[in-house]
Amino acid sequence: MYVCVCLAVTEAEVEAAIAGGATTRDAVTRACRAGGDCGACHGMIEQKIEDHLEGQAAQSGTSRPSHPPHPSHPPLVGADALVRARGRAA
């Protein structure tokens, strides 16, 4: 399954970036490009990071505090602007 359709980045590629140490959305983007275009996948990337970190905490027996989304990372575009067409002839 694609996480980032714009840049054709798969779920496996995002998970590999996270497993390799990417703990922020920006770090995932630097590692595999996911999230580097329209921003529609940012929520999914952030959820995958949270899931990974929670899984690590469960394995180690520690608890991880829940943090709200970072205020310096507002959506790049509004939800109404996320649908777009590529290469469509008029």
Side-chain angles (χ1 to χ4, degrees), residues 2-90:
Y2 288 106
V3 170
C4 179
V5 176
C6 295
L7 298 172
V9 182
T10 65
E11 187 172 18
E13 291 172 291
V14 171
E15 289 171 353
I18 295 168
T23 58
T24 66
R25 181 178 37 84
D26 290 335
V28 170
T29 300
R30 285 190 301 273
C32 67
R33 300 180 337 172
D37 195 0
C38 82
C41 58
H42 288 181
M44 184 180 293
I45 293 168
E46 291 167 353
Q47 185 62 54
K48 289 196 167 297
I49 292 167
E50 281 294 316
D51 292 347
H52 178 78
L53 295 175
E54 287 172 3
Q56 283 185 324
Q59 287 178 353
S60 67
T62 61
S63 64
R64 185 177 160 334
S66 177
H67 297 287
H70 197 281
S72 69
H73 297 293
L76 297 178
V77 295
D80 58 337
L82 295 179
V83 176
R84 63 184 182 170
R86 289 188 178 196
R88 191 159 98 185

